Amino acid sequence: QGPRDQGMVWETLVNLVCRPPRYKYDPEEVLGPKRFRIDGRLFERVDLEVLNKRRQRLQCSHYMPVLEGNRAGQQTKFPCVIYCHGNCGSRVDASDCLDLLLPQNISVFAFDFSGSGLSDGETISLGYYEQDDLLAVIDFLRSSGLVSRIGLWGRSMGAATSVLVAARDPSIAGMVLDSAFSSLTQVMYELANQYMRQVKVPKILIHGAISVLRKSVQKKGNFDIRDVNPEEASEKCFVPALFAHADGDDFVLAHHSKHLYERYSGDKNIITFGGDHNSPRPAFFFDSVGIFFHNVLIENAELEAAEPTASPYSADLNQMYSLQQQYLSQQQSQSRAPAPDLHAVRLTPPKEQPQNSWGDSHAVAAAFSPLMQPGQGGGEDGVIEALQSSLREMEAELGPNDPNVVELRKMLREYQSR
């Protein structure tokens, strides 16, 4: 395995942070019908766009109850849960929320973070820029006249992002935090230790690898992994929170949620269950989530009536948070054919199935595996070769006196002198 192959290994590691596998999909095939029924009740999905602070378009879907009978045509504010997906995910992942929340008269807002799914952007940042995406969505919903209280439901990257946002916006009603990490830097160290210890790579080389990874991520993703620190933000959070984590998670270890829980300042509870980072969640998890959101969002199941307002989905595109122009006309042009039952629709899977489940821990194993083959340019020698190659690149780009270059050079010399 030569220098070019080692460079590809490090590029793969960088991509695990800021450019993991991206799930692209056909909304018509994957999101299902725009009007559907659950247990006989009618609901609809409105697709729209929101602009974030960097003026990137976020692709969104808002699932809402449709009032029928003598309340047809009335506008009502419903509590809303915003679903925040993981690093390889998209708004498609919110489908598991619909059966749980919509029958409780809780609307669901799902969106693709920038750099994910069909939204604008080429990279993700595991929370650094995603928090601005989420704040843009929250601002839109608050100005829409369609929602009352707002809750957050995040998984992995989405859970960490929710903590970062709640520290800045105390008016969030409550959060479900599934598999949140407490520190992105700590996750990187743990992943490196987990996969490099099989060839007994010394810790000094792992520290060097993380330093190189941090610098490479700064170059490609334009953010510092040290700035993504939900544990620090959790001390500023007073929003009720339900923490959840699979005890067999080998990507974000379960102690991350425990550390967040211990330092969290608001009302809190924590549940654990079997499985790993990507495994389906058990029924009691969804039961706990349903009870939690009922308590923090509904309060005696009283809906707050809203004054008639113009649809926010026809907002001016020149505004910070822009939306598609067709919401009202879309409502008027909906097919008069009976809306299908959501459960029946799911019996026939779409032609294009989500391929998110392999992403996290399997991608990490694949990235580290070339560095774990002793005698084939891998193992301890492979890590040294990769770090030396990165050192040469950093010297050429930053100069020999850059602090990161000096630190890495010193680390390699100390190790080689042993």
Side-chain angles (χ1 to χ4, degrees):
Q1 187 173 27
R4 181 179 179 182
D5 295 322
Q6 295 291 353
M8 293 174 63
V9 170
W10 286 103
E11 180 66 18
T12 303
L13 293 176
V14 173
N15 284 340
L16 285 174
V17 178
C18 52
R19 184 60 282 148
R22 184 171 189 164
Y23 175 51
K24 294 186 177 181
Y25 55 93
D26 180 351
E28 296 300 322
E29 289 284 339
V30 177
L31 296 181
K34 291 188 175 180
R35 283 203 168 193
F36 55 90
R37 292 187 181 273
I38 300 177
D39 297 331
R41 293 189 56 196
L42 183 62
F43 303 92
E44 70 177 347
R45 186 191 87 242
V46 177
D47 298 331
L48 56 130
E49 293 179 350
V50 172
L51 282 183
N52 65 13
K53 190 166 70 173
R54 294 182 290 167
R55 302 199 62 81
Q56 295 169 318
R57 294 170 299 174
L58 308 177
Q59 300 301 320
C60 312
S61 294
H62 195 180
Y63 299 85
M64 296 173 286
V66 177
L67 299 179
E68 299 182 277
N70 57 12
R71 298 189 68 187
Q74 296 181 13
Q75 189 176 45
T76 301
K77 285 185 177 180
F78 295 100
C80 181
V81 168
I82 304 172
Y83 186 83
C84 305
H85 63 75
N87 69 331
C88 297
S90 72
R91 57 179 161 165
V92 177
D93 300 342
S95 60
D96 289 339
C97 307
L98 304 182
D99 291 344
L100 179 67
L101 299 177
L102 290 178
Q104 296 192 64
N105 284 327
I106 299 174
S107 69
V108 176
F109 195 96
F111 69 103
D112 295 345
F113 280 116
S114 56
S116 296
L118 304 182
S119 290
D120 291 346
E122 295 302 320
T123 59
I124 67 168
S125 60
L126 293 171
Y128 184 81
Y129 289 113
E130 283 77 10
Q131 59 186 311
D132 292 330
D133 296 343
L134 181 52
L135 285 169
V137 167
I138 292 170
D139 284 349
F140 157 70
L141 286 171
R142 288 214 170 106
S143 65
S144 72
L146 294 176
V147 306
S148 53
R149 294 176 177 85
I150 293 176
L152 306 178
W153 183 344
R155 185 155 178 174
S156 191
M157 176 182 79
T161 300
S162 297
V163 174
L164 296 173
V165 165
R168 300 166 62 180
D169 186 350
S171 64
I172 298 297
M175 302 188 295
V176 171
L177 305 170
D178 183 351
S179 309
F181 58 82
S182 57
S183 162
L184 181 53
T185 304
Q186 183 64 28
V187 171
M188 294 298 103
Y189 275 113
E190 288 170 354
L191 290 174
N193 274 302
Q194 179 179 352
Y195 289 98
M196 289 186 180
R197 70 186 176 188
Q198 299 180 37
V199 290
K200 300 180 180 179
V201 174
K203 286 188 176 181
I204 189 171
L205 293 185
I206 295 177
H207 283 280
I210 297 300
S211 296
V212 172
L213 179 63
R214 175 180 172 233
K215 188 63 184 177
S216 299
V217 168
Q218 283 179 306
K219 180 179 178 181
K220 183 166 186 173
N222 198 29
F223 74 98
D224 190 338
I225 61 175
R226 293 181 182 176
D227 292 334
V228 184
N229 194 335
E231 185 171 8
E232 183 177 293
S234 67
E235 296 182 335
K236 306 173 186 176
C237 290
F238 298 92
V239 174
L242 174 63
F243 293 85
H245 217 111
D247 51 24
D249 193 332
D250 61 355
F251 185 73
V252 178
L253 303 181
H255 74 79
H256 283 268
S257 282
K258 293 178 182 177
H259 289 167
L260 284 172
Y261 174 80
E262 290 168 358
R263 297 187 63 175
Y264 197 82
S265 296
D267 292 338
K268 56 192 175 181
N269 199 358
I270 186 169
I271 57 176
T272 59
F273 38 81
D276 57 32
H277 195 72
N278 294 311
S279 60
R281 292 335 192 198
F284 92 87
F285 165 77
F286 290 101
D287 292 341
S288 300
V289 171
I291 293 170
F292 174 81
F293 278 129
H294 180 89
N295 290 339
V296 300
L297 293 178
I298 295 180
E299 291 187 353
N300 300 322
E302 291 291 333
L303 299 177
E304 302 176 27
E307 295 296 326
T309 59
S311 169
Y313 296 100
S314 59
D316 186 351
L317 287 176
N318 291 324
Q319 295 177 355
M320 176 65 74
Y321 312 116
S322 74
L323 304 153
Q324 288 178 325
Q325 302 284 321
Q326 304 301 321
Y327 173 60
L328 291 177
S329 61
Q330 178 186 355
Q331 285 186 310
Q332 296 170 358
S333 63
Q334 291 283 355
S335 170
R336 297 185 181 276
D341 185 90
L342 185 63
H343 302 103
V345 172
R346 287 178 179 169
L347 292 177
T348 305
K351 296 178 182 178
E352 184 180 3
Q353 289 285 353
Q355 297 295 324
N356 302 329
S357 59
W358 77 270
D360 295 320
S361 54
H362 297 290
V364 174
F368 276 100
S369 60
L371 298 179
M372 294 162 49
Q373 303 299 323
Q376 300 178 17
E380 184 176 331
D381 291 339
V383 175
I384 294 174
E385 289 177 21
L387 291 175
Q388 288 174 333
S389 176
S390 296
L391 176 61
R392 290 191 292 270
E393 293 178 4
M394 291 169 66
E395 285 178 329
E397 178 185 351
L398 304 173
N401 297 321
D402 180 86
N404 292 288
V405 173
V406 172
E407 179 184 359
L408 181 56
R409 185 190 301 118
K410 179 182 178 182
M411 197 174 295
L412 280 169
R413 285 176 177 171
E414 287 179 356
Y415 176 73
Q416 290 173 319
S417 66
R418 295 182 179 183

